[in-house]
């Protein structure tokens, strides 16, 4: 009989964390995956820090009691930068957070002019400035904050094609400096719009997100797959409220590999 695979819980306020889930699945296809969307409190980027920490802590306590995961991934830059210390202080299992990929962007940029595309909350957070000061001190960092991109990614999952002109206008502030050659996608929703964003840039650039780094970190916390490891297909999906669950959303999630979509009232 095959051994039970490690169980990995991926958590976000919406569908953005699916971009992280995909990268981890690619590296660790033999693990069992559960995705949880706190859509009752969506979006996290508009919450003040004390409210956000309390909400993330509550939801993860309920989820871990129900699911008993081996590893938790907080697949949200906003939640990770404010809630990780509290979560890690009392969760027994490893908790992996997501932070803007400023370090790798600074390393691969030839011009040392990089863009930071994030939600306004992430743009303004002291933790983000610390990452810039620590890992990109010799770089010019051009910032652009957008909450609308989160909504567009959510709409895309629900079957609505992004308006390319709207995307072009959102990212335009990044391209006022001709030397910019690399952009950090500092929200897990944004890689879901990768093809569309690349199609509206005025020139070819490098896009960097946290997915590969998170996959490597998770892999480092899990032992090598046994020879008889099962390979589960897809993932289970939990929501914290039924509001907004439409046929289009269900169809979109199933396209990404969701098996069951269940509500967990929190």
């Amino acid at each position: 009989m095959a051994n039970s695979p490690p169980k990995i819980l991926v958590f976000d306020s919406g569908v953005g964390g699916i971009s992280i889930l995909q990268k981890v699945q690619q590296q660790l296809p033999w693990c069992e995956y559960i995705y949880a969307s706190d859509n009752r409190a969506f979006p996290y980027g508009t919450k003040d820090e004390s409210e956000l920490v309390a909400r993330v802590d509550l939801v993860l306590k309920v989820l871990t009691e129900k699911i008993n995961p081996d590893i938790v991934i907080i697949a949200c830059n906003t939640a990770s930068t404010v809630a990780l210390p509290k979560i890690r202080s009392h969760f027994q299992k490893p908790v992996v957070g997501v932070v803007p990929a400023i370090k790798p962007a600074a390393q691969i940029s030839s011009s040392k002019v990089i863009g930071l595309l994030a939600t306004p909350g992430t743009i303004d957070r002291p933790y983000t400035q610390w990452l810039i000061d620590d890992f990109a001190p010799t770089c010019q960092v051009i910032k652009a904050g957008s909450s609308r991109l989160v909504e567009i990614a959510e709409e895309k999952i629900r079957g609505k094609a992004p308006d390319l002109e709207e995307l072009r206008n959102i990212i335009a502030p990044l391209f006022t400096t001709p030397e910019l050659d690399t952009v950090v996608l500092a929200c897990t929703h944004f890689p879901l719009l990768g093809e569309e964003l690349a199609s509206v840039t005025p020139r070819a650039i490098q896009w960097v997100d946290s997915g590969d780094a998170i996959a490597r970190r998770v892999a480092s916390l899990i032992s090598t797959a046994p020879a008889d490891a099962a390979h589960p297909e897809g993932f289970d999906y939990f929501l914290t409220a039924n509001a907004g669950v439409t046929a289009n959303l269900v169809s979109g999630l199933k396209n990404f590999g969701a098996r069951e979509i269940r509500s967990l009232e929190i």
Side-chain angles (χ1 to χ4, degrees):
M1 181 179 294
N3 294 328
S4 296
K7 191 180 295 184
I8 298 175
L9 170 63
V10 182
F11 170 75
D12 191 7
S13 64
V15 300
I18 287 176
S19 68
I20 299 293
L21 172 68
Q22 288 178 313
K23 292 294 182 69
V24 181
Q25 279 185 312
Q26 288 170 10
Q27 187 145 338
L28 300 165
W30 52 279
C31 292
E32 178 75 22
Y33 292 91
I34 301 94
Y35 189 94
S37 169
D38 186 18
N39 60 316
R40 182 180 294 278
F42 175 86
Y44 279 169
T46 61
K47 306 288 187 294
D48 65 48
E49 292 197 6
S50 59
E51 179 186 7
L52 180 57
V53 170
R55 179 63 184 176
V56 172
D57 190 50
L58 169 64
V59 175
L60 282 179
K61 281 180 178 176
V62 174
L63 286 169
T64 53
E65 287 175 4
K66 181 176 182 62
I67 295 167
N68 190 28
D70 295 290
I71 292 178
V72 176
I73 303 173
I74 300 181
C76 171
N77 285 270
T78 300
S80 295
T81 54
V82 300
L84 267 178
K86 180 174 178 62
I87 301 304
R88 284 175 170 160
S89 70
H90 61 79
F91 276 69
Q92 301 302 310
K93 303 294 177 64
V95 180
V96 177
V98 177
V99 298
I102 291 168
K103 182 179 179 179
Q107 291 172 335
I108 68 173
S109 172
S110 298
S111 66
K112 300 307 176 186
V113 179
I114 64 178
L116 179 66
L117 185 60
T119 61
T122 297
I123 290 288
D124 295 335
R125 194 153 287 117
Y127 185 86
T128 303
Q129 187 59 50
W130 175 83
L131 289 173
I132 294 171
D133 295 341
D134 209 42
F135 296 116
T138 63
C139 292
Q140 178 184 354
V141 181
I142 302 168
K143 302 174 184 177
S146 174
S147 296
R148 175 61 184 144
L149 276 180
V150 176
E151 297 172 351
I152 294 172
E154 292 277 335
E155 291 169 354
K156 179 181 175 181
I157 293 289
R158 291 162 171 80
K160 181 179 179 181
D163 182 324
L164 297 184
E165 188 61 29
E166 183 179 14
L167 293 182
R168 184 177 288 108
N169 291 334
I170 289 172
I171 67 172
L174 294 172
F175 293 91
T176 56
T177 303
E179 293 78 16
L180 178 138
D181 67 354
T182 305
V183 172
V184 178
L185 296 176
C187 171
T188 56
H189 277 79
F190 296 174
L192 298 176
L193 298 169
E195 291 183 6
E196 291 86 356
L197 290 171
S199 74
V200 297
T201 57
R203 60 184 180 277
I205 60 165
Q206 302 175 96
W207 300 92
V208 184
D209 62 66
S210 301
D212 290 328
I214 296 303
R216 289 192 296 270
R217 175 58 181 154
V218 173
S220 74
L221 296 169
I222 292 179
S223 58
T224 304
D228 61 347
H231 284 69
E233 295 291 333
F235 58 94
D236 290 335
Y237 194 101
F238 283 91
L239 305 104
T240 58
N242 281 319
V245 179
T246 64
N248 285 342
L249 174 59
V250 171
S251 176
L253 293 174
K254 288 189 178 296
N255 286 338
F256 277 99
R259 294 181 298 245
E260 289 191 66
I261 300 172
R262 291 176 280 179
S263 178
L264 186 64
E265 294 292 326
I266 306 174

